[in-house]
Amino acid sequence: MNKNIDIDPIKIPNKNVTIEDIKDKAKQISENYKDEAIGGYMCGDGPIPSDILFIGEAPGKNEIIEGKPFVGMAGKTLDNYLNLANIKREDIRITNTCFFRPIKIKQGKTGRETISNRTPKPSEVELFREVLDAEITLVDPKIIITLGNTPLKRLTKFKTIGECHGKLYFNEELKRYIYPMYHPSSLTYNRKESFKIAYEDDWKNLKEILKKVLTAK
């Protein structure tokens, strides 16, 4: 845990942990973090419990403003593909691996500052290990869909999303299914038609997998 932060970790598993406990811990960690620049924090959104849990990387500017994950451009892309898989957003829980917004601040020649998102460091992800584990326990999903490399590395042994996307795995430690997917923003950076087709195929595959996973006893 970060040397500048002194908090009591949430013990996992703990049936008595509430969503308010999780929010309080995320707030405490974020407000005491001094090692790098951050731009606010937020927690997950959606029903508890929920059979389906999506886990992203970290909130961005729009997410912090609205207090809800995936509301920017990536959120619009996500909504489109949720529809493709016949998933209603109000039926799923969405959260992040890192609960604060990691940012980088650059100063131009004129002295004007620009702020942009950055990928959370492994140490920053580790700060929220107990918090995320507590949320997973509370939400009690039958399947977790990871979006991008950050949640993938946190919950599996894989190093990159390219080696495992669109396939179903079982996490023995969590006793839950994991379905790795590319982050929705990847479509912004990779304009190749072949990538878009592969991305859509992963969602179509998810649609079929959910029929089996959600009905399994």
Side-chain angles (χ1 to χ4, degrees):
M1 188 165 287
N2 188 281
K3 61 183 180 181
N4 290 329
I5 300 176
D6 184 18
I7 65 170
D8 296 324
I10 295 174
K11 301 300 182 183
I12 305 298
N14 186 341
K15 297 294 184 180
N16 297 320
V17 170
T18 67
I19 189 59
E20 293 306 318
D21 293 328
I22 292 170
K23 289 179 179 178
D24 287 345
K25 291 299 180 184
K27 179 177 185 289
Q28 192 175 3
I29 292 169
S30 301
E31 290 183 347
N32 285 279
Y33 185 65
K34 307 299 181 185
D35 285 9
E36 298 287 347
I38 62 172
Y41 69 94
M42 59 156 289
C43 295
D45 179 74
I48 298 174
S50 178
D51 287 341
I52 305 172
L53 175 63
F54 281 79
I55 303 180
E57 179 178 281
K61 178 182 177 180
N62 292 324
E63 285 74 19
I64 294 297
I65 292 173
E66 297 194 28
K68 186 177 179 179
F70 286 95
V71 294
M73 288 183 61
K76 293 179 181 178
T77 301
L78 177 64
D79 287 343
N80 289 336
Y81 283 95
L82 286 174
N83 292 332
L84 178 66
N86 287 340
I87 301 171
K88 295 181 179 179
R89 181 150 180 165
E90 59 264 29
D91 292 338
I92 62 174
R93 179 81 180 173
I94 307 177
T95 192
N96 283 299
T97 315
C98 178
F99 285 59
F100 56 54
R101 179 194 177 198
I103 60 173
K104 51 186 176 183
I105 303 172
K106 290 186 177 180
Q107 193 169 38
K109 295 180 179 179
T110 61
R112 181 172 177 268
E113 285 187 347
T114 58
I115 299 175
S116 58
N117 298 329
R118 61 175 174 81
T119 302
K121 295 181 176 182
S123 60
E124 293 171 330
V125 169
E126 193 63 24
L127 285 175
F128 293 97
R129 173 174 290 275
E130 289 86 3
V131 179
L132 179 59
D133 285 352
E135 185 169 7
I136 292 172
T137 299
L138 190 63
V139 175
D140 194 23
K142 291 183 177 179
I143 185 171
I144 297 172
I145 295 97
T146 57
L147 302 174
N149 281 319
T150 299
L152 175 74
K153 293 177 181 179
R154 168 64 178 79
L155 296 177
T156 75
K157 302 293 185 182
F158 296 108
K159 301 299 182 183
T160 64
I161 188 66
E163 61 183 307
C164 60
H165 68 92
K167 299 176 184 177
L168 188 66
Y169 301 92
F170 191 77
N171 184 308
E172 291 291 346
E173 183 179 351
L174 293 173
K175 302 299 180 185
R176 304 180 195 280
Y177 287 105
I178 308 288
Y179 187 78
M181 301 189 76
Y182 283 99
H183 194 280
S185 64
S186 61
L187 288 177
T188 303
Y189 306 112
N190 191 334
R191 300 283 187 170
K192 293 181 180 178
E193 185 64 22
S194 58
F195 179 77
K196 182 179 179 180
I197 291 173
Y199 188 75
E200 290 182 354
D201 285 344
D202 286 352
W203 279 95
K204 291 175 182 177
N205 188 35
L206 176 61
K207 181 179 179 180
E208 297 305 312
I209 285 174
L210 290 178
K211 293 178 182 178
K212 300 176 181 178
V213 171
L214 299 186
T215 58
K217 296 182 179 180

